[in-house]
Amino acid sequence: MSMLTPPGMGGKYRITGDKYPRMRRPRNRRRTILVVVSSLVALGLAGWGTLQLIDVFTGGAKEISAAGRVKRCDTAAAPSASARAAALPKPRAIKVNVYNATKRSGLAKETADELKKRGFTVGKVGNAPPEYDKKVKGAGMLLGAPKAVSGVMPVLGTQLKGAARKADARKGADVDLILGSGFKSLATKKDADKALAALARPAPAPSAKC
């Protein structure tokens, strides 16, 4: 081995002139790989976090928007108390024929007088027609045209609790109040006024789907 051969070269490299072979330090591959992997993980976490933030803000906006739509639908679906009260007929606009289907005499006139005091317009007063005389088992029956079932009858029904409602083929707006065998008296004016006020209040509306 030549005296100019660097130690550890095993004779592989020889100096033949005045130039020496360049010695390079081996690169640390593990450190390089670790740095690359760490960078990729950091970028991945940053991207995931950004997506989560976007989803949170987007989802919140959707929920707020949905809540606003539901609120608007509920407001539109629920009628105001004044609107519902205006749709109900006033007692003075209701013409009532009072008929007695019981064995007690004078009951129709007594009831008609009380209804008149409460503001109702009284029409005919007398005994019930043969098809109903002694055949109404409950407190009474309200009989009228089909359109009266949803308007006039609920108002008149506040005066007699438990009165049945039935539509017939008449064309007029008057309503018959037929007193049955279970009739004792009209509701007290205080209770009747409370029932009429409750009738004017709108019922809770179900959740609207928009």
mmCIF file of all heavy atoms in Angstrom, residues 74 93 95 155 193:
data_model
loop_
_atom_site.group_PDB
_atom_site.id
_atom_site.type_symbol
_atom_site.label_atom_id
_atom_site.label_comp_id
_atom_site.label_asym_id
_atom_site.label_seq_id
_atom_site.Cartn_x
_atom_site.Cartn_y
_atom_site.Cartn_z
ATOM 1 N N ASP A 74 -94.843 28.889 11.712
ATOM 2 C CA ASP A 74 -95.714 28.828 12.887
ATOM 3 C C ASP A 74 -96.523 30.100 13.012
ATOM 4 O O ASP A 74 -97.703 30.078 13.349
ATOM 5 C CB ASP A 74 -94.878 28.600 14.153
ATOM 6 C CG ASP A 74 -94.321 27.185 14.209
ATOM 7 O OD1 ASP A 74 -94.802 26.324 13.446
ATOM 8 O OD2 ASP A 74 -93.407 26.961 15.010
ATOM 9 N N ALA A 93 -126.616 37.712 16.566
ATOM 10 C CA ALA A 93 -126.763 37.300 15.166
ATOM 11 C C ALA A 93 -127.292 35.879 15.042
ATOM 12 O O ALA A 93 -127.500 35.398 13.924
ATOM 13 C CB ALA A 93 -125.428 37.431 14.448
ATOM 14 N N LYS A 95 -130.255 33.253 15.632
ATOM 15 C CA LYS A 95 -131.687 33.093 15.896
ATOM 16 C C LYS A 95 -131.944 31.676 16.391
ATOM 17 O O LYS A 95 -131.646 30.702 15.695
ATOM 18 C CB LYS A 95 -132.492 33.377 14.632
ATOM 19 C CG LYS A 95 -133.997 33.328 14.851
ATOM 20 C CD LYS A 95 -134.746 33.653 13.557
ATOM 21 C CE LYS A 95 -136.251 33.600 13.778
ATOM 22 N NZ LYS A 95 -137.005 33.931 12.527
ATOM 23 N N VAL A 155 -121.077 28.403 19.317
ATOM 24 C CA VAL A 155 -121.396 29.561 20.155
ATOM 25 C C VAL A 155 -122.613 29.270 21.024
ATOM 26 O O VAL A 155 -122.610 29.514 22.240
ATOM 27 C CB VAL A 155 -121.635 30.812 19.281
ATOM 28 C CG1 VAL A 155 -122.077 31.993 20.151
ATOM 29 C CG2 VAL A 155 -120.372 31.172 18.511
ATOM 30 N N ASP A 193 -119.884 32.545 29.680
ATOM 31 C CA ASP A 193 -118.980 33.588 29.186
ATOM 32 C C ASP A 193 -117.542 33.084 29.113
ATOM 33 O O ASP A 193 -116.798 33.406 28.173
ATOM 34 C CB ASP A 193 -119.057 34.821 30.087
ATOM 35 C CG ASP A 193 -120.386 35.564 29.956
ATOM 36 O OD1 ASP A 193 -121.104 35.313 28.966
ATOM 37 O OD2 ASP A 193 -120.713 36.369 30.856
#
